[in-house]
């Protein structure tokens, strides 16, 4: 028998402090055969399975998704889902930290809408980023759940395969898994919960032991997303299993262990205010020093258009720094108009968020990069002894190729500035040393001072003096099942 399995989803992360709403053009949308041919989904190649691609929309993290953008994607996804019926299963590749204008649980809305289309009997599997937020509404729609186990995320494909494989397992064996989850009233930034560092490293290393237990299919520890001031924000344990008692025990054990470790989480790299970090960078005799501008990190929801680090470097007359990069489409357009080799007066910064600091400088246009689409244009400029890569659209500079594309070898740079928190898997190995600056921005690492009007209370570290004992909850789809 050939199984008919539909695939789709929506994947982004949204800071509610950002004033820059995500629009349709911010998303990379895969439809139909393009979805199946994408590297992201090329594991969907199995005998006796008819893979039915729907729609998958993915965006660099940022501000909330404009309501009309979300509704249009959801409507298209649901129409494609209806047209694919009848089905044997549905796989959703999600993130879990999307915020939509006027909506507190966007993933819950999306997954519930899908469940309404496919009916109560069809298994639905979902993969999540470990920085996603989970709710009872989400859990009640699902049969299978798998979350990343690494941050930085080097197991994205592995996680998607875990979710997909469990879906194939239930469809081919007849085993019917369910989900138990245990919320933990803790919300910490990813920069303090990296799985490269303790205690997260040990906590995540124990998850495969839970997987190996009788009746357990997959165990997860979700850190959650701290920069969305919304009621659902929480860490949690999520367990997919066929044995309810085993699932409950595992979820409560994982959740309690996270609670007990809550005070032990620290930043991995050396972390300090910007000026202190720049003092160290100036004195360093090694290279490349890599400075992470943590408050404006686009992969965490930062706007990406702040020029405060550039301003500080110029004030110090710093020589040999490369900043990759600052989002400023007007500045990029001005550089293209002036041409390579020209010098012009530029305002850099604050092009998206009026609250972002900017600088007025005389800049020499070193090179222009035009891949054929104006939003993808980049310009490299030199300001005194500082080189800056300017981008027309929001994007990170976390890969070696992001720099070598412009003739810059990151390994030879005295100081490389990237808008990042913990460094990417490509940059971390060459950092000598790795310094994280506690900079301002919509994902400021000083989380105890960010807006906190709507999160559940109590929640550590916003409140500290309270007790907690983990208590697992089941998916409503599992409660009445024998």
């Amino acid at each position: 028998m050939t199984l008919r399995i539909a695939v789709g989803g929506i994947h982004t992360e949204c800071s509610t402090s950002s004033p820059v709403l995500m629009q349709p053009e911010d998303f990379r949308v895969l439809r139909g055969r393009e979805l199946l041919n994408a590297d992201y989904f090329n594991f969907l190649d199995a005998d006796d399975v008819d893979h039915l691609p729907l729609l998958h929309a993915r965006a660099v993290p940022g501000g909330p998704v404009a309501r009309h953008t979300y509704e249009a994607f959801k409507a298209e996804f649901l129409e494609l889902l209806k047209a694919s019926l009848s089905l044997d299963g549905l796989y959703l590749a999600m993130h879990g930290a999307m915020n939509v204008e006027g909506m507190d649980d966007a993933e819950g809305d999306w997954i519930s809408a899908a469940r309404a289309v496919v009916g109560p009997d069809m298994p639905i599997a979902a993969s999540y980023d470990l920085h996603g937020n989970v709710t009872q509404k989400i859990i009640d729609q699902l049969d299978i759940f798998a979350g990343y186990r690494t941050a930085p995320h080097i197991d994205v494909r592995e996680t998607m395969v875990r979710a997909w494989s469990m879906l194939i397992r239930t469809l081919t064996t007849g085993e019917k898994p369910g989900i138990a989850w245990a919320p933990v009233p803790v919300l910490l930034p990813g920069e303090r919960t990296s799985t490269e560092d303790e205690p997260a490293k040990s906590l995540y290393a124990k998850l495969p032991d839970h997987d190996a237990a009788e009746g357990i299919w997959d165990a997860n520890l979700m850190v959650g997303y701290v920069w969305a001031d919304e009621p659902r924000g929480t860490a949690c344990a999520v367990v997919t299993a066929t044995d309810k008692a085993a699932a409950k025990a595992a979820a409560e054990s994982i959740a309690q262990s996270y609670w007990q470790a809550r005070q032990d989480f620290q930043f991995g790299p050396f972390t300090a205010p910007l000026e202190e970090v720049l003092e160290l960078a100036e004195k360093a005799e090694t290279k490349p020093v890599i400075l992470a501008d943590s408050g404006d990190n686009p992969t965490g929801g930062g706007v990406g258009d702040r020029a405060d680090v550039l301003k500080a470097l110029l004030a110090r007359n710093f020589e040999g720094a490369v900043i990759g990069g600052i989002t400023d489409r007007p500045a990029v357009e001005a550089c293209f108009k002036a041409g390579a080799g020209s010098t012009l007066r530029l305002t850099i910064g604050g092009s998206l968020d009026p609250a972002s600091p900017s600088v007025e400088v005389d800049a020499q246009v070193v090179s222009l990069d035009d891949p054929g689409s104006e939003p993808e244009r980049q310009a490299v400029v030199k300001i005194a002894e500082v080189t800056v890569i300017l981008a027309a659209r929001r994007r990170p500079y976390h890969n070696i190729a992001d720099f070598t594309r412009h003739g810059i070898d990151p390994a030879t740079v005295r100081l490389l500035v990237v808008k990042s928190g913990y460094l990417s898997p490509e940059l971390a190995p060459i950092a000598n040393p790795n310094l994280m600056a506690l900079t301002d921005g919509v994902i400021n690492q000083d989380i105890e001072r960010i807006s906190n009007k709507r999160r559940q209370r109590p929640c550590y570290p916003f409140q500290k003096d309270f007790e907690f004992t983990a208590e697992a909850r089941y998916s409503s789809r599992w409660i009445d099942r024998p």
Side-chain angles (χ1 to χ4, degrees):
M1 180 184 72
T2 299
L3 298 173
R4 289 174 53 82
I5 302 177
V7 181
I10 189 165
H11 186 290
T12 194
E13 184 176 68
C14 307
S15 167
T16 56
S17 296
S18 173
V20 185
L21 298 180
M22 288 197 200
Q23 305 294 342
E25 58 268 23
D26 293 311
F27 287 81
R28 180 195 181 199
V29 184
L30 299 174
R31 300 174 174 91
R33 180 56 55 179
E34 184 183 21
L35 186 154
L36 294 180
N37 290 339
D39 289 344
Y40 194 64
F41 287 104
N42 65 11
F43 63 90
L44 300 175
D45 182 16
D47 294 335
D48 300 323
V49 176
D50 188 3
H51 306 88
L52 303 170
L54 306 176
L55 170 148
H56 190 265
R58 181 168 184 168
V60 171
V65 178
R67 186 63 176 259
H68 68 88
T69 299
Y70 170 78
E71 295 293 356
F73 284 144
K74 185 179 80 166
E76 182 180 353
F77 168 79
L78 294 176
E79 284 302 312
L80 292 168
L81 181 59
K82 291 173 185 175
S84 297
L85 298 175
S86 62
L87 296 168
D88 295 297
L90 172 63
Y91 166 53
L92 299 174
M94 310 294 284
H95 181 289
M98 175 172 59
N99 180 276
V100 175
E101 282 185 299
M103 187 180 291
D104 280 333
D105 187 8
E107 283 84 5
D109 178 77
W110 183 283
I111 299 170
S112 295
R115 172 59 70 188
V117 170
V118 302
D121 299 326
M122 183 183 302
I124 300 179
S127 57
Y128 259 56
D129 189 305
L130 64 85
H131 298 125
N133 290 325
V134 177
T135 64
Q136 188 67 43
K137 183 176 183 179
I138 291 168
I139 295 298
D140 283 345
Q141 314 309 316
L142 298 175
D143 304 277
I144 291 164
F145 183 100
Y148 302 168
R149 293 177 174 178
T150 61
H153 306 314
I154 57 174
D155 66 334
V156 175
R157 182 185 180 90
E158 179 183 331
T159 302
M160 297 170 76
V161 170
R162 278 166 43 213
W164 175 259
S165 298
M166 285 189 284
L167 181 58
I168 297 295
R169 178 177 174 179
T170 189
L171 291 174
T172 56
T173 67
E175 297 177 273
K176 294 186 176 181
I179 299 175
W181 76 299
V184 188
V186 175
L187 268 179
L188 294 169
E191 285 68 25
R192 284 168 58 184
T193 52
S194 169
T195 58
E196 304 265 311
D197 305 312
E198 295 294 354
K201 184 176 182 178
S202 293
L203 291 174
Y204 278 86
K206 294 176 182 176
L207 294 180
D209 293 336
H210 290 288
D211 294 346
E214 185 71 26
I216 302 291
W217 283 20
D218 200 85
N220 301 277
L221 172 58
M222 305 292 288
V223 170
Y225 182 68
V226 69
W227 289 294
D229 188 6
E230 57 186 14
R232 69 175 184 167
T234 184
C236 66
V238 185
V239 177
T240 301
T242 52
D243 185 313
K244 288 181 181 176
K248 181 177 188 296
E252 291 176 351
S253 174
I254 295 166
Q256 199 66 40
S257 67
Y258 191 67
W259 168 259
Q260 291 170 350
R262 68 193 183 281
Q263 296 177 334
D264 298 331
F265 291 96
Q266 305 292 331
F267 294 115
F270 177 85
T271 305
L274 177 60
E275 290 301 326
E276 185 176 341
V277 168
L278 289 178
E279 285 283 347
L280 290 174
E282 284 192 317
K283 296 174 182 177
E285 297 181 358
T286 56
K287 63 182 182 181
V289 177
I290 301 185
L291 185 158
D293 178 4
S294 63
D296 201 29
N297 171 20
T299 61
V303 178
D305 73 339
R306 297 178 63 94
D308 32 7
V309 178
L310 172 59
K311 183 176 182 179
L313 288 170
L314 295 176
R316 288 173 172 267
N317 295 314
F318 198 99
E319 297 183 2
V322 172
I323 299 178
I326 299 175
T327 301
D328 195 320
R329 186 164 181 171
V332 171
E333 291 175 349
C335 289
F336 268 81
K337 185 176 180 179
S342 62
T343 299
L344 70 162
R345 190 71 176 171
L346 279 180
T347 298
I348 297 176
S351 65
L352 294 173
D353 182 356
S356 294
S358 62
V359 294
E360 289 192 18
V361 294
D362 291 318
Q364 179 189 4
V365 181
V366 176
S367 64
L368 300 170
D369 182 12
D370 186 358
S373 170
E374 287 191 12
E376 302 301 328
R377 284 177 168 180
Q378 300 174 70
V380 179
V381 299
K382 191 166 186 180
I383 306 155
E385 295 302 318
V386 177
T387 300
V388 183
I389 307 174
L390 301 172
R393 74 184 293 175
R394 296 178 60 256
R395 52 156 297 167
Y397 286 79
H398 289 180
N399 297 322
I400 299 294
D402 296 332
F403 298 93
T404 56
R405 178 183 183 92
H406 303 291
I408 299 169
D409 180 358
T412 65
V413 171
R414 179 186 176 197
L415 173 64
L416 183 69
V417 179
V418 289
K419 291 184 181 294
S420 182
Y422 49 64
L423 293 184
S424 68
E426 288 197 20
L427 293 183
I430 69 169
N432 191 21
N434 170 9
L435 306 174
M436 190 170 79
L438 295 174
T439 48
D440 289 330
V442 302
I443 58 165
N444 192 313
Q445 295 289 331
D446 190 1
I447 60 170
E448 294 173 57
R449 295 178 59 188
I450 63 178
S451 176
N452 187 32
K453 299 176 181 178
R454 307 186 64 241
R455 294 179 184 85
Q456 295 184 43
R457 295 171 181 265
C459 181
Y460 182 89
F462 303 102
Q463 296 85 37
K464 295 186 173 68
D465 188 18
F466 66 100
E467 300 296 322
F468 168 75
T469 301
E471 184 174 347
R473 309 169 187 177
Y474 295 114
S475 163
S476 63
R477 294 176 52 75
W478 208 16
I479 290 175
D480 298 325
R481 190 186 303 165

